[in-house]
Amino acid sequence: MGQAKMIDIYIMGKKYEVPSDLTVMQAMEYSGYKLIRGCGCRGGFCGACGTVYRTPDDFRIKVGLACQMVVEKDMQFIQIPFFPANKKKYDIDEFNADLPSLMKLYPEISRCVGCNTCTKGCPQNIEVMDYMAAAIRGDIEAVAKMSFDCIMCGLCASRCPAEEVQYYVAILARRLFAKHVVPRASHLEDKSKEIEEGLLDEEINKIVAMNKEELKNLYDNRDIE
Amino acid sequence: MYDSMMLESIKEVEKTRTKRLNEEFARLTADEKLELLHNFHPDFRDDTQREVKIGANKGEKIPHEIADLLESKSLLNPKSFDIINAEHDVDVLIIGAGGAGSAAALVAKESGAKVLMVTKLRHGDSNTVMAQGGIQAADKTNDSPMTHYIDVVGGGGYTNIPELARALTMDAPSVIKWLESLGCMFSKDEDGTMQTIHGGGTSRKRMHFASDYTGAEIMRTLRDEVQNKEIETIEFCSAVELLLDEDGKCGGAVLYNMETKEYFIARAKTVIIATGGSGRLHLAGFPTSNHYGATADGIVMAYRAGAKLAFLDANQVHPTGVVYPKQMIGQLVTEKVRGIGAQLVNTKGEQFIHPLETRDVVSSAVIRECEHRQNGYEVEERQYAVWLDSPMIDLIHGKGTVKRELPAMFKQYERYDIDMSKHPILIFPTLHYQNGGILIKENGETEIENLFVAGEVAGGIHGRNRLMGNSLLDILVFGRRAGKAAADKSKNSDVKILSLKHVERFHKQLEEAGIESERTSPMLLPKYHK
Ligand SMILES: Cc1cc2nc3c(=O)[nH]c(=O)nc-3n(C[C@H](O)[C@H](O)[C@H](O)COP(=O)(O)OP(=O)(O)OC[C@H]3O[C@@H](n4cnc5c(N)ncnc54)[C@H](O)[C@@H]3O)c2cc1C
Ligand code: SF4
Ligand code: SF4
Ligand code: FES
């Protein structure tokens, strides 16, 4: 493999020359930035590294994750490591999985104008507008399932003309759905109860007291499902 | 996008694929495994470790990179640092807001304590958020904590501390139940039954998961709940040193505002260290799967305060880390890829190890294939890799399986125009998990009074080797236990005047041992900038 060629990029308007195969995050570091904000998992899971950028050939504003996108020639960017958003506090036991719950906490959902900007920008390719539409309909299950891959990067909110906080609506819906709609696992209940009541104590204590040879014997002869 | 040379190499893999579909590579015998490990696993290489010269583990072997941090000076000058004015005065101080810290915070608060949680990056920027595979718990009818226990200690080579492994397996069902009650969206059947699969080394299908975002789902649920409960959390705020009183009891920490670079003091009746792992130290030069802040800070602070460390010479390299595209280097390709059928294949199109041997064995085999047998693909100068034949998955389970079962993984490769359901991927071991850590007791207590530890930073639970899915479990089991114990203890803890005298003594020991380096620690963040 050959050496990557060098290209110009503009970090907050200032020109730096970097190898063309770096991610935006690596390019910042290459240019001498020690990141404190705007860098968390470095793997596309935490949403710390939202970035807004433009390229010369396109009038549009684009957004993405600094750890997941490769630099482009002459791109100009700035990270948005934080975007103001109001998260509502709630007691999950006092809310149902229904429209009134969503409306009580986030009444602004009804302001969505259906412009689809959120969907176009979402680095997780989530149909954000559609889950917001589902929220307005009170279809909690649809919101929960459609939004599941959300990493809460805030990029949708940063571009929304209706000033929604999509990802907070989404996590509320997921938690309400998982808690109040999905049936509880009865095997969990049963097993925890058995343990709580001390019914397994004798047996586990016996094993915990075993020496290496005895344990090894059990391990080597265990049956595998 | 693969270049033409890679596509050529892929052809070799494709040639043998049909034949390999029905070919099961023989599992190694116990002796063969040992030989492989001793020759190729970084834990056993002489050049990766040294005897640490001071502290509670003096004379024991520890990887150089960790030993360097232990044998370093404090960031503070203990003689002149002013610790009179405390900005915070709380019952329980929690250091690190990943899964362990957040679980501890919720339980401590529920137990009536005034809690302060501080964390280096944002709340949840952590290893927890990155876990994809799943979390173990023996809660099905054909399973039991006893069976789980046997798997845990067998996997750990019988080095686990029995009481800790007991707590891990006995608390497991109630931890999953707790998550369920918080509205954590596990993958379930229609009737609410948890979907569970095998993981490396499990004898029952007890790996619970939430699609392949298990850690993310747990983390965002806990974070949301911590915010609902209005637990004070300060982000971009690292702990750099513990504070002890004249009797050696812990009573708070020196904190550091990462942005303004100011130090300040938090007094607390009890302290919980939940700072996670150390992948960003890049032990033995390995790339890592860990988040940006995994730099062993908790270990450094606790060691200076006199805590004992265990099994720090045992570090898990995960066999399948991304090598190409290089933007993703070190990132994890979850074990599930092998679990559902992908084989490991060299440049000749041959298998060289059973894909479901334990992680340490598979990693060693990949290293042998690349560095000893020269059957690896040279991605960059001296950076070798082998192929993980992911297209086999769709061949075995039907078209669309990769995309459905591994959405996070699929999406990441897709960003670089690689369709992993059609083309195999290039992998090499990546530094993944710190098996050992600060030695704890059943409720997270340490030998230092008022100091509790939970999560990846703790040691003893997994012995020398953790099985997949037992870490997400451990951080919640011991996070919850430490939260409860620290809250209870805070009700009758009497801490006298605090100082950094222990740091002063530590500096003296450094001097006496003839260590004259100007190194300082904790590291806080790795140096990647120019
Ligand atoms: C990519 C990946 C995949 C994984 N997959 C699985 C899996 O499928 N199943 C499983 O069981 N395990 C898995 N693991 C392991 C598991 O996720 C971790 O071991 C576990 O989440 C650690 O939790 P923790 O709370 O101890 O640490 P973390 O979640 O890392 O949290 C520690 C927090 O403390 C902060 N911190 C560090 N130093 C300081 C300081 N000085 N002051 C203040 N704050 C500090 C960190 O920034 C971080 O936020 C995986 C790990 C990785 C990296
Ligand atoms: S960007 Fe805002 S207004 Fe536009 S569709 Fe999305 S939520 Fe609705
Ligand atoms: S839905 Fe919004 S917050 Fe979630 S990943 Fe997409 S852009 Fe980010
Ligand atoms: S750093 Fe976590 S998503 Fe980019």
Side-chain angles (χ1 to χ4, degrees):
Chain A
M1 290 232 332
Q3 280 283 340
K5 66 172 194 295
M6 300 297 282
I7 57 168
D8 289 342
I9 58 164
Y10 295 82
I11 304 177
M12 293 179 270
K14 190 169 166 187
K15 184 162 89 177
Y16 291 91
E17 202 186 14
V18 302
S20 61
D21 61 354
L22 300 185
T23 61
V24 167
M25 180 172 284
Q26 290 161 342
M28 287 191 79
E29 290 171 338
Y30 183 88
S31 306
Y33 284 84
K34 175 167 184 149
L35 297 175
I36 293 173
R37 283 195 180 254
C39 176
C41 65
R42 303 179 77 99
F45 283 97
C46 75
C49 64
T51 298
V52 53
Y53 67 104
R54 265 188 162 118
T55 46
D57 54 348
D58 197 343
F59 67 90
R60 291 182 188 85
I61 291 179
K62 299 174 202 167
V63 291
L65 299 174
C67 71
Q68 295 294 306
M69 57 180 179
V70 181
V71 286
E72 289 175 52
K73 187 169 176 309
D74 293 325
M75 78 190 297
Q76 33 175 327
F77 65 83
I78 181 172
Q79 284 200 298
I80 355 179
F82 175 81
F83 196 81
N86 298 333
K87 185 203 120 62
K88 296 295 168 55
K89 314 232 155 55
Y90 59 94
D91 179 343
I92 192 170
D93 293 317
E94 307 216 318
F95 284 86
N96 296 321
D98 56 15
L99 184 60
S101 297
L102 296 196
M103 286 304 285
K104 176 140 192 256
L105 293 167
Y106 297 103
E108 66 269 26
I109 54 175
S110 60
R111 298 181 67 229
C112 168
V113 296
C115 68
N116 209 31
T117 314
C118 46
T119 302
K120 277 189 265 176
C122 176
Q124 292 290 83
N125 301 329
I126 294 169
E127 299 291 338
V128 190
M129 181 180 76
D130 294 353
Y131 83 58
M132 288 300 281
I136 297 164
R137 290 196 309 273
D139 187 346
I140 310 288
E141 175 167 358
V143 184
K145 291 187 171 161
M146 278 168 121
S147 72
F148 189 78
D149 293 358
C150 172
I151 56 172
M152 305 183 80
C153 66
L155 287 173
C156 48
S158 77
R159 302 277 287 123
C160 174
E163 290 142 323
E164 308 286 355
V165 282
Q166 298 88 335
Y167 49 101
Y168 283 139
V169 175
I171 191 170
L172 173 65
R174 284 194 305 272
R175 289 190 62 193
L176 291 175
F177 172 70
K179 164 113 193 175
H180 298 302
V181 180
V182 179
R184 292 294 172 96
S186 57
H187 55 93
L188 262 183
E189 184 66 43
D190 298 345
K191 196 69 88 183
S192 327
K193 205 159 155 225
E194 231 179 300
I195 294 170
E196 246 162 62
E197 288 173 354
L199 302 180
L200 305 181
D201 284 352
E202 199 179 317
E203 226 177 313
I204 188 93
N205 288 340
K206 216 165 70 195
I207 294 186
V208 170
M210 283 183 181
N211 63 29
K212 183 175 163 182
E213 288 320 308
E214 292 167 308
L215 285 168
K216 195 164 177 314
N217 189 28
L218 283 179
Y219 184 75
D220 292 343
N221 296 309
R222 75 205 160 129
D223 61 314
I224 293 183
E225 182 182 355
Chain B
M1 193 86 118
Y2 289 129
D3 64 26
S4 55
M5 270 167 65
M6 290 171 182
L7 291 172
E8 277 306 305
S9 180
I10 288 177
K11 283 192 188 142
E12 295 300 316
V13 176
E14 286 170 344
K15 265 188 216 158
T16 57
R17 189 173 289 147
T18 330
K19 185 178 108 237
R20 279 185 288 106
L21 271 173
N22 303 312
E23 168 189 296
E24 181 160 347
F25 197 87
R27 297 236 183 203
L28 301 186
T29 64
D31 285 345
E32 285 168 338
K33 279 187 206 166
L34 269 184
E35 195 193 326
L36 184 59
L37 288 174
H38 277 272
N39 286 325
F40 296 99
H41 196 283
D43 278 358
F44 295 96
R45 269 169 39 193
D46 277 342
D47 60 340
T48 59
Q49 312 192 341
R50 69 165 187 262
E51 284 178 11
V52 59
K53 287 193 188 135
I54 56 169
N57 293 67
K58 187 172 163 177
E60 291 176 28
K61 284 207 166 169
I62 284 182
H64 289 297
E65 294 81 356
I66 299 178
D68 282 349
L69 294 179
L70 296 180
E71 295 174 352
S72 288
K73 291 207 176 88
S74 173
L75 296 165
L76 311 171
N77 181 343
K79 286 192 177 128
S80 58
F81 192 82
D82 171 19
I83 52 166
I84 306 297
N85 299 311
E87 278 79 359
H88 300 275
D89 201 339
V90 295
D91 295 333
V92 181
L93 170 68
I94 300 175
I95 304 171
S102 303
L106 286 170
V107 174
K109 165 103 188 193
E110 199 181 286
S111 312
K114 181 178 173 201
V115 178
L116 170 66
M117 181 155 63
V118 299
T119 198
K120 180 153 57 184
L121 302 165
R122 300 177 317 163
H123 185 181
D125 292 350
S126 60
N127 282 1
T128 303
V129 81
M130 305 183 80
Q132 304 171 30
I135 175 166
Q136 289 200 39
D139 52 45
K140 295 260 170 107
T141 43
N142 69 344
D143 202 359
S144 78
M146 286 71 77
T147 315
H148 191 179
Y149 182 94
I150 302 283
D151 288 349
V152 170
V153 298
Y158 313 100
T159 53
N160 318 55
I161 294 174
E163 291 70 29
L164 299 180
R166 178 192 201 274
L168 181 78
T169 53
M170 288 289 273
D171 280 13
S174 61
V175 156
I176 306 285
K177 199 175 127 193
W178 181 61
L179 290 174
E180 186 191 48
S181 78
L182 288 172
C184 189
M185 211 166 129
F186 281 106
S187 298
K188 285 181 168 187
D189 293 339
E190 287 285 306
D191 67 351
T193 303
M194 293 273 174
Q195 292 177 12
T196 50
I197 54 172
H198 268 305
T202 54
S203 66
R204 293 288 181 281
K205 292 182 181 167
R206 73 167 77 87
M207 191 73 63
H208 304 59
F209 53 94
S211 175
D212 65 345
Y213 286 97
T214 311
E217 173 61 358
I218 292 173
M219 190 65 243
R220 65 197 178 189
T221 303
L222 294 179
R223 177 175 55 208
D224 196 57
E225 192 60 12
V226 166
Q227 290 169 348
N228 281 348
K229 291 277 152 46
E230 304 194 46
I231 296 171
E232 188 179 0
T233 306
I234 311 180
E235 300 183 323
F236 299 98
C237 174
S238 295
V240 298
E241 218 64 80
L242 296 171
L243 291 168
L244 304 184
D245 75 2
E246 62 193 47
D247 300 331
K249 292 184 189 171
C250 186
V254 180
L255 307 177
Y256 176 67
N257 183 326
M258 299 289 284
E259 297 183 300
T260 64
K261 314 226 176 298
E262 288 163 299
Y263 291 103
F264 55 104
I265 304 290
R267 255 175 206 290
K269 301 196 173 90
T270 53
V271 175
I272 304 176
I273 295 183
T275 50
S278 57
R280 290 283 158 192
L281 302 185
H282 297 288
L283 305 184
F286 276 89
T288 185
S289 63
N290 285 193
H291 87 289
Y292 188 42
T295 52
D297 302 351
I299 287 185
V300 171
M301 290 184 272
Y303 199 64
R304 277 190 195 133
K308 178 121 177 104
L309 310 175
F311 304 113
L312 262 191
D313 56 333
N315 287 282
Q316 191 165 83
V317 281
H318 190 291
T320 55
V322 178
V323 179
Y324 185 88
K326 85 168 191 191
Q327 294 85 359
M328 284 167 67
I329 197 153
Q331 276 184 46
L332 197 73
V333 178
T334 163
E335 195 166 288
K336 198 167 162 192
V337 179
R338 279 173 290 136
I340 56 180
Q343 294 170 347
L344 289 159
V345 180
N346 64 22
T347 46
K348 296 177 179 162
E350 305 160 342
Q351 289 199 74
F352 52 87
I353 189 77
H354 191 291
L356 294 180
E357 297 275 13
T358 51
R359 286 181 178 177
D360 47 354
V361 170
V362 180
S363 290
S364 305
V366 175
I367 294 170
R368 177 179 65 185
E369 209 59 20
C370 291
E371 291 175 3
H372 184 63
R373 295 181 173 166
Q374 263 109 43
N375 285 334
Y377 183 86
E378 189 169 17
V379 182
E380 287 206 14
E381 211 184 320
R382 292 216 304 278
Q383 173 69 70
Y384 294 89
V386 295
W387 292 103
L388 178 60
D389 200 8
S390 46
M392 295 182 70
I393 298 172
D394 277 13
L395 286 182
I396 298 170
H397 303 281
K399 220 168 166 266
T401 310
V402 171
K403 202 172 167 183
R404 191 182 62 245
E405 292 294 319
L406 303 155
M409 213 62 252
F410 185 81
K411 208 170 267 179
Q412 287 203 316
Y413 275 102
E414 208 183 19
R415 288 195 176 112
Y416 297 99
D417 291 325
I418 292 170
D419 181 343
M420 65 178 284
S421 68
K422 299 208 172 72
H423 284 140
I425 52 184
L426 284 164
I427 61 93
F428 190 78
T430 185
L431 181 57
H432 185 52
Y433 184 77
Q434 173 188 295
N435 287 307
I438 305 163
L439 190 61
I440 58 167
K441 292 178 213 151
E442 274 164 86
N443 291 321
E445 314 97 310
T446 63
E447 281 166 10
I448 299 165
E449 203 170 332
N450 301 341
L451 179 66
F452 297 77
V453 171
E456 191 169 336
V457 63
I461 306 150
H462 309 288
R464 298 191 61 84
N465 181 44
R466 165 205 68 128
L467 301 181
M468 173 203 171
N470 279 339
S471 174
L472 282 178
L473 174 61
D474 126 33
I475 67 175
L476 300 174
V477 165
F478 292 96
R480 285 172 53 82
R481 282 173 170 248
K484 177 85 173 67
D488 290 348
K489 182 79 204 287
S490 75
K491 284 166 196 154
N492 47 31
S493 110
D494 57 330
V495 180
K496 296 182 186 151
I497 294 172
L498 297 172
S499 80
L500 284 169
K501 289 233 167 66
H502 65 285
V503 178
E504 234 179 289
R505 282 195 297 275
F506 196 84
H507 283 179
K508 195 133 179 265
Q509 286 178 35
L510 281 171
E511 216 173 280
E512 284 164 7
I515 300 164
E516 277 173 25
S517 155
E518 284 308 302
R519 281 189 310 254
T520 54
S521 65
M523 180 188 274
L524 303 181
L525 291 174
K527 185 176 185 296
Y528 293 144
H529 58 295
K530 242 196 343 202

